[in-house]
Amino acid sequence: MNLVRQFSTTRRVLSHIGGAPIRYSSEVKIEHLPTQFSTTDARFFNKTTLKVSGPLGHRLMPIEPFVKLQFSEHDRESELLVSVHDSQEKKQRQMWGTTRALINNCVIGVTEGFSARLRLVGVGYRAAVEQGKLVLRLGYSHPITVPIPEGLSVSAPVPTRVLISGLDLQQVKLFAAKVREWKKPEPYNQKGIFVNDETIRKKEGKKK
């Protein structure tokens, strides 16, 4: 029996996500600035700044020193290719696809924006926006007040629906999750705060 371990000699597969070009229209402007992303947070001292501007506003994000950005222009749109200095190095390979995805999210954010919808399911459950805060009535003895972060737009078109929108996908998701924490959907009566098209399987209660 041959116990010799076989090692693959095939070339390591490169990042398919990282290598995909980012295409954007003339209404979007992307600038790679040589300035430090932060002068107060040591995690970003060696990282430069990428600024993405569009009709809805602008976003800033840090760029690792080993990330290379190549810009090109075509007739009606521009293109950005993301690469790294050494694709065989683990950290660089991991950050390659991540950086490309984050830049693409910035482009979408400043052109289309991101949104999340909350559904309040339960007797007497209500939501309203009052003085820059989201006020929830969820069956407790007192209303829940949630401050709305800067950069987000929050509205309650009807008392049982909340619409969250913003340029930053992560910020939109985090705020939706924070609100959901106040009344997570429960499987017996299927009450709670549901995000987007979230559903929950109904459980039968214990029978005597």
Side-chain angles (χ1 to χ4, degrees), residues 8 15 20 25 34 37 60 82 89-90 96-97 100 103 109 114 145 147 152 159 169 197 204:
S8 172
S15 173
S25 64
F37 183 75
L60 300 175
V82 180
E89 202 273 321
K90 185 177 180 180
W96 186 3
R100 192 266 177 199
I103 295 175
F114 296 99
T145 302
L152 289 183
L169 176 60
D197 298 322
E204 295 294 334

Side-chain angles (χ1 to χ4, degrees), residues 17-32:
I17 297 176
I22 299 172
R23 296 183 175 88
Y24 55 98
S25 64
S26 58
E27 62 182 2
V28 176
K29 183 179 181 181
I30 302 180
E31 301 172 273
H32 188 196

Side-chain angles (χ1 to χ4, degrees), residues 11-176:
R11 186 178 180 181
R12 193 187 298 255
V13 178
L14 301 182
S15 173
H16 295 295
I17 297 176
I22 299 172
R23 296 183 175 88
Y24 55 98
S25 64
S26 58
E27 62 182 2
V28 176
K29 183 179 181 181
I30 302 180
E31 301 172 273
H32 188 196
L33 308 175
T35 54
Q36 264 180 240
F37 183 75
S38 174
T39 56
T40 57
D41 192 332
R43 296 175 301 168
F44 302 108
F45 283 175
N46 67 333
K47 299 176 184 179
T48 52
T49 304
L50 188 75
K51 182 178 181 180
V52 182
S53 306
L56 300 183
H58 73 273
R59 291 282 317 282
L60 300 175
M61 66 167 283
I63 296 296
E64 296 280 359
F66 52 76
V67 170
K68 298 186 291 183
L69 304 176
Q70 180 181 346
F71 296 89
S72 60
E73 295 185 2
H74 303 283
D75 293 337
R76 296 184 179 179
E77 62 179 12
S78 299
E79 187 175 278
L80 170 61
L81 281 175
V82 180
S83 60
V84 293
H85 288 295
D86 184 4
S87 61
Q88 303 303 313
E89 202 273 321
K90 185 177 180 180
K91 181 181 178 181
Q92 295 191 30
R93 190 170 63 252
Q94 291 174 339
M95 289 302 300
W96 186 3
T98 300
T99 301
R100 192 266 177 199
L102 291 174
I103 295 175
N104 192 58
N105 283 344
C106 287
V107 173
I108 296 173
V110 300
T111 53
E112 304 172 18
F114 296 99
S115 64
R117 304 182 316 278
L118 305 182
R119 293 179 290 117
L120 279 63
V121 181
V123 178
Y125 289 9
R126 295 288 186 271
V129 176
E130 301 175 3
Q131 299 179 343
K133 297 178 181 179
L134 178 63
V135 180
L136 304 168
R137 292 172 173 81
L138 303 172
Y140 300 120
S141 59
H142 60 281
I144 305 299
T145 302
V146 186
I148 299 174
E150 184 178 353
L152 289 183
S153 174
V154 179
S155 62
V158 295
T160 57
R161 297 288 187 273
V162 176
L163 178 62
I164 305 166
S165 58
L167 307 185
D168 187 336
L169 176 60
Q170 184 179 13
Q171 188 183 30
V172 169
K173 285 185 172 182
L174 285 175
F175 186 71

